[in-house]
Amino acid sequence: MSRHSQVRESSQLQRKLEALNTARELAEGVLPDQELQSVYDVLERAASRRSLSAGHTVVGFFGATGSGKSSLFNAVSGSDVATAAARRPTTSEPLAGIWGEEGSGPLLDWLEVKERHVLQAVPGFAEADAGLVLLDLPDFDSTRLENRQIVQRMVGMVDVLVWVMDPQKYADAAVHNGFLRPMASHGAVTLVVLNQVDKLSAPDAAAVMESLKGILARDGLEKVRVMSASALTGDGVPTVRAAIRNVVVQRAATTQRLAADVAKAAAGLIEVSGDGEAKGITSGAKSRLAQELATAANVPVVVDAVQRSFRRESARRTGWPVTRWLLRFRSDPLRRLNLGRNDTRPELSRTSLPPAGAPQRARTDAAVRDFADEASAGAPGPWRAAIRAAAREGREQLPDALDQAIAGTDLKTAKRPLWWLLFNTLQWIALLLAVGGLGWLGVLAALGYFQMPVPEVPRTEGWPWPTLMVAGGVALGVLLAILGRVLGGWAARARAAGAAKRLRAAVAVVAERRIVEPVDVEVTRLRAFNAALKAARTN
């Protein structure tokens, strides 16, 4: 592989690692901690391996007891450094054969391989500075727990995995279910060798090879390289050497191994998360939520109080002065609700609206639940639960927030129409006219009572002016009062409509902050999570 290709694949791997880490961070609190920890371990291993020698390829030999793994290791390496045994105990500690010692130390320290042997060049396989490390590992079916733990750890750390099978146990479920099937995504860095074929006739060897390939295909490794060899006779050993050399020469095994780890981790996240996107939030859903919350928060009650309060104040400002004082004995509907005051801080304001009863609470719960269900439609189970939980958490804060929003809404009670001033002025003029007429008539009556000369009063169409003044003042006052009530009713409905609009807007703001935004955060988080997983799995 050219250096340009290596750099490109390394950059692609970096992007995949970053995407996987992003997905892990986004899934915190939603997906199980155990799965997220597994992803974190993959990221940590990748960071550690990439910080170590990129010029070395680590090839691990894995096999069951009696598979001839150590013998094949010796045959391939052209040495006898590995201990071969046909019965237990076998290899108990990892052993490294090294071609190119410089720079391998920190890598082998990370792998925790203590026994190290610098090997001579093997013509056609590995030059002295080839940058190849072969590991002979303990049997994966060892009775010693420490040995099995070493194998489990090495499976997750070496660059290339060579699985050594034997004709007796090549179909053993322990290796297929425990190792090969879970590592199906690592086919590019996996080699399978059927060892000890010298014990089989040619037809039997061919049949076993076909059977092995079929089992591997069912494991998801249908494209993996499968070879036959005999460490005893040397048959097939050059083929195994060539396959390993080909991997080393390409200098891509480390990157391919880590990319396979990322793909497996991403697949694990998808398995526990599920697939799908949430429908998200629509304007219609937001509108319905705000409308239901406004009703549950007694906005209609406040609107009705605004209308009645305005009509009361309008009658008090424009009614007949002789009777308008009676309105003082009628309480203001808004004041009873502790609304309409302009001398309090909005953040400290509270209403005297009755607390939400069971019907209101049920209506609020239903509105929030329906909104969350619609927004989470199509989302996988864990994310749907997270979206609903965000809505429920906001639901707990709604009663106080809605009450404060209503209390802090400017109901425009301080705004007085100009026609009030006009009607009030005319009413006092009419009253003064009537009082003036009564006074004039009173003076005339007093003069007549005391037998004093009574002057002639001006007349119009035969009607004395004092009488006209009284009648006109009273008639004008009553007419203005009636007209004021009509105009006041119309203006009260307009004022109530404006208050309703502002109150619903205030409720919509609360709904946005307490319900819509938290739900949208979770919907957006799912969208970003799916995008990150897609980036982590894209070739």
Side-chain angles (χ1 to χ4, degrees), residues 175-351:
V175 65
H176 290 279
N177 296 336
F179 295 97
L180 289 171
R181 189 170 299 162
M183 300 291 288
S185 59
H186 294 64
V189 290
T190 299
L191 301 173
V192 177
V193 179
L194 178 64
N195 193 23
Q196 301 176 357
V197 293
D198 57 285
K199 297 180 179 181
L200 301 173
S201 63
D204 289 343
V208 171
M209 282 289 288
E210 284 300 314
S211 176
L212 175 58
K213 289 179 180 179
I215 296 173
L216 291 173
R218 290 193 294 273
D219 291 337
L221 292 166
E222 62 275 1
K223 295 183 179 180
V224 74
R225 180 80 181 275
V226 183
M227 299 161 283
S228 62
S230 172
L232 180 64
T233 65
D235 291 342
V237 172
T239 303
V240 177
R241 284 177 173 174
I244 296 174
R245 176 180 173 82
N246 183 56
V247 172
V248 175
V249 169
Q250 290 185 12
R251 298 294 182 189
T254 300
T255 300
Q256 290 175 342
R257 164 62 204 251
L258 295 179
D261 287 345
V262 170
K264 182 181 177 183
L269 286 180
I270 291 178
E271 183 176 352
V272 297
S273 166
D275 196 11
E277 289 282 3
K279 177 182 178 181
I281 298 170
T282 63
S283 58
K286 289 170 60 175
S287 177
R288 288 191 295 273
L289 174 65
Q291 183 176 352
E292 288 297 314
L293 292 183
T295 301
N298 288 316
V299 166
V301 174
V302 177
V303 172
D304 179 66
V306 168
Q307 182 172 342
R308 289 187 293 114
S309 176
F310 185 88
R311 290 172 61 183
R312 172 186 175 278
E313 189 65 16
S314 178
R316 199 170 73 85
R317 298 285 181 177
T318 65
W320 195 23
V322 176
T323 59
R324 69 169 62 170
W325 61 274
L326 294 172
L327 294 174
R328 295 181 180 274
F329 296 102
R330 295 170 56 186
S331 60
D332 187 343
L334 280 180
R335 292 292 188 269
R336 289 203 303 268
L337 298 178
N338 197 32
L339 294 171
R341 301 179 184 274
N342 300 303
D343 56 349
T344 57
R345 294 168 58 185
E347 64 274 14
L348 301 179
S349 299
R350 292 296 185 273
T351 73

Side-chain angles (χ1 to χ4, degrees), residues 26 62 89 104 110 203 206 357 403 412 454 507:
L26 290 169
F62 300 86
S104 65
W110 177 65
D403 188 78
K412 304 297 182 182
V454 179
V507 169

